[in-house]
Amino acid sequence: MNIQLRRGASVWLREGKFLVGALFLLGLGSFNAKAEAWREALRQMPLISGPVVLDQSNCAPVILNSFCSNATVKALIFMPGATDELYFFKRIKVAVTNAQPSVLDAMAALTNQSPLRVTFQSPFVLLYSGEDVLPLDYTIKHERTQKKLMRAKPLAHVESLDRDWSHLLRLIKNQVPAVLIPYEGTIGSWHFYRHTFAGWNLTPWEVLEAAALAGKTKFTVVRNGVVFEVDPRMGELPDLNRTPGP
């Protein structure tokens, strides 16, 4: 009896290992498929400039104006570390040399020739640097308001190119079914980063997520409103000795 149990356990263990291995491979395949999907979406978007040297004068407008509506990536966002590299440190100078370059080719050039990094945080592609903290920080104090924002009519297209909070509010406030605080023109937003992102068919909730990622802010959902404030979290300190290039 004991021998049979041990043999049974051995067979179960072998089968269990096979099952775990198969599930792992299936999960890895799913992960790889998702990773390839966002890259393929960007690969299908021609870079409007053609071959180009991207720097602080043209990088964001070329990439955001090349970003098209698609089924996988709903927004392309320059996080604050990326905009620091562009406009404050001015260390972005990368050559996109493909004969018919795509947005994906521009992403590859930026990550290979500058301190910038790129990742997909569904449904967003994020351009960022080591100083950025990627996970959003938000608090839900009124779930019905959150659900209303998630279910409301999507915004067909939003593009904010190095714009402050007041300008962003003017773009979105009439299409977001909640009061957004700080109000336009008030001092509460003076320390927010300027927002650089483009999105297609974003729900109002996703627009607020994109704004927080671009503006280095966190937010709290209250009854019929959303309150934004500065996110104090900080990643790596920028390496100021690094110059543009690999």
Side-chain angles (χ1 to χ4, degrees):
M1 178 67 71
N2 290 337
I3 292 174
Q4 291 175 349
L5 283 173
R6 284 198 294 271
R7 286 178 179 171
S10 178
V11 170
W12 180 88
L13 183 60
R14 289 197 300 271
E15 291 177 348
K17 286 182 177 177
F18 175 79
L19 178 61
V20 170
L23 290 173
F24 173 78
L25 290 174
L26 285 171
L28 185 61
S30 175
F31 175 81
N32 288 337
K34 290 179 180 179
E36 183 56 31
W38 71 264
R39 292 187 177 93
E40 183 59 29
L42 298 187
R43 188 179 288 116
Q44 298 302 316
M45 302 177 193
L47 202 65
I48 60 171
S49 62
V52 67
V53 174
L54 296 173
D55 58 21
Q56 67 271 13
S57 69
N58 66 352
C59 182
V62 165
I63 290 175
L64 295 187
N65 289 330
S66 302
F67 178 66
C68 303
S69 177
N70 67 98
T72 305
V73 182
K74 298 181 74 173
L76 198 157
I77 302 169
F78 284 76
M79 293 189 70
T83 55
D84 270 352
E85 291 293 340
L86 275 172
Y87 302 124
F88 186 63
F89 302 129
K90 298 183 179 179
R91 295 190 294 185
I92 305 300
K93 189 174 184 179
V94 307
V96 185
T97 57
N98 312 62
Q100 295 179 314
S102 67
V103 173
L104 185 66
D105 293 322
M107 299 293 105
L110 287 166
T111 55
N112 288 332
Q113 302 174 45
S114 83
L116 296 193
R117 309 170 189 178
V118 63
T119 191
F120 181 56
Q121 186 169 290
S122 184
F124 308 136
V125 165
L126 307 177
L127 273 165
Y128 68 103
S129 77
E131 72 179 81
D132 292 306
V133 179
L134 270 59
L136 276 172
D137 184 4
Y138 61 83
T139 302
I140 308 300
K141 292 187 175 181
H142 196 264
E143 291 185 1
R144 289 179 60 186
T145 297
Q146 181 194 25
K147 290 177 180 177
K148 181 169 67 172
L149 290 164
M150 289 177 166
R151 295 169 181 170
K153 181 181 178 180
L155 285 70
H157 185 223
V158 179
E159 183 173 319
S160 178
L161 181 58
D162 190 33
R163 299 298 188 178
D164 63 17
W165 174 253
S166 290
H167 185 277
L168 180 62
L169 275 186
R170 289 193 290 272
L171 287 178
I172 66 174
K173 65 181 181 180
N174 292 333
Q175 301 174 77
V176 175
V179 176
L180 302 180
I181 301 171
Y183 298 114
E184 183 180 333
T186 59
I187 64 173
S189 66
W190 282 5
H191 296 291
F192 293 3
Y193 268 73
R194 296 170 70 86
H195 303 78
T196 301
F197 71 96
W200 291 91
N201 302 311
L202 295 170
T203 66
W205 175 257
E206 290 165 340
V207 169
L208 301 185
E209 289 183 309
L213 288 165
K216 192 172 172 53
T217 51
K218 58 182 181 177
F219 60 85
T220 301
V221 178
V222 296
R223 183 181 180 89
N224 296 324
V226 183
V227 182
F228 283 78
E229 56 188 322
V230 171
D231 182 352
R233 296 175 300 168
M234 182 71 181
E236 305 167 9
L237 291 176
D239 181 2
L240 299 182
N241 294 316
R242 180 166 181 168
T243 56

